[in-house]
Amino acid sequence: MYNRRKFIQTTALSAAAVALSKACTIKNSGVNKPIVIATWDFGVAANTDAWKILSKNGNALDAVENGVKVAEADVKNQTVGYGGRPDRDGIVTLDASIMDHNGNCGAVMALQNIKHPISVARLVMEKTPHVILAGDGALQFALEQGFKAENLLTNLSKKEWKEWLKTAKYSPVSNIENQSYQQAAPEKLPGNQYNHDTIGMLALDAHGNLAGACTTSGMAYKLHGRVGDSPVIGAGLYIDNEIGGATSTGVGEEVVRNVGSFLVVELMRQGYSPEEACKEAVMRIIKKKKDSAKNLQVGFLAINKNGDYGAYAIQEGFTFAVCDNQKQDLIVKGKSYY
Ligand code: ASP
């Protein structure tokens, strides 16, 4: 179980270690930086690549883009990027968003055939006057920018989709991507056909700047054209460099309905800790959904300008990965309502 007091102690130690090492050229002010956090156990591998940039005083934006690309390229990860599960028509469509410390942001929705939607989202932010490109237009832009079109539907995901077609029942299951949770609670996983999860990553760099990235193949077997929370700025991702950042995973419709990540950041502005803010955002969903929240997973992850972090989910089983000067492969079990 996550022990907050222990965390505060380790954070203090970590700050001292940075000050002593003089490796960091930025004056240390008790802020835990650099640091990167990301959703789920698969966030560990993604954080490793982000850390290569952050530990060399690189910027948070480069770190989060490169970090989440690890999950996008991982064929074993069937909820993000290449190998992701398709929609009900057997088509893999990807959603992604990115946001920097100046409030710039970019996103792609329902993008097909491009392995790294996060990099397309970054170019939407940097090279167009727009924030979001969707569907065919996003693909056209990606191809113009030199991205290669490729088949993202792997044999495994295709086989599972064909199996799913026999019943064609759309019924999301919580936390299916979390390997340790799968092992611990196999009875909660009736088949492998209803998967969903996302990598949301938040980084605070050595310069004190925040950035975030969020990328997913969305809900498996969704209606063709369905877009979740991940590419919706303020829902799946939000950064305010004065305050902090937040990202989400879970049933995206509920996050969009509550503008979840923006809400978390605004609650931190009012003085909530990252975990308290995530909890309050989860409670808003539970309050509206009442009993049906029992069958729903939404998790929020947040960081503030001091490098304090926290998470909260509706269901047990949500984890996130942390990488800072203290520890590079920490997995924290997020607190939950149920
Ligand atoms: N939030 C994603 C979506 O709704 C799925 C997930 O993270 O579980 O597309």
Side-chain angles (χ1 to χ4, degrees), residues 108-114 120 123-124 128 133-149:
V108 288
M109 295 176 166
L111 175 62
Q112 295 180 35
N113 297 113
I114 301 291
V120 185
L123 291 184
V124 171
T128 80
L133 290 179
D136 288 350
L139 177 60
Q140 185 186 330
F141 173 73
L143 297 175
E144 281 165 10
Q145 293 299 319
F147 288 82
K148 191 169 78 170

Side-chain angles (χ1 to χ4, degrees), residues 128-178:
T128 80
H130 309 305
V131 169
I132 305 169
L133 290 179
D136 288 350
L139 177 60
Q140 185 186 330
F141 173 73
L143 297 175
E144 281 165 10
Q145 293 299 319
F147 288 82
K148 191 169 78 170
E150 51 195 306
N151 175 29
L152 303 180
L153 184 63
T154 56
N155 288 338
L156 176 63
S157 288
K158 191 171 177 179
K159 197 170 144 228
E160 288 180 1
W161 165 65
K162 291 215 159 138
E163 232 356 82
W164 176 83
L165 281 176
K166 291 179 186 162
T167 51
K169 189 165 168 263
Y170 181 77
S171 173
V173 165
S174 307
N175 305 325
I176 201 151
E177 193 59 31
N178 184 334

Side-chain angles (χ1 to χ4, degrees), residues 39-40 79 95 170 173 175 195-199 214-220 222 226-231 236 248-255 297:
T39 53
W40 302 109
T79 64
D95 294 340
Y170 181 77
V173 165
N175 305 325
N195 293 296
H196 61 98
D197 274 337
T198 294
I199 184 150
C214 187
T215 175
T216 188
S217 50
M219 309 297 281
K222 59 196 174 186
R226 180 265 186 190
V227 169
D229 55 324
S230 308
S248 61
T249 183
V251 177
E253 282 74 4
E254 300 312 325
V255 181
Q297 176 64 311

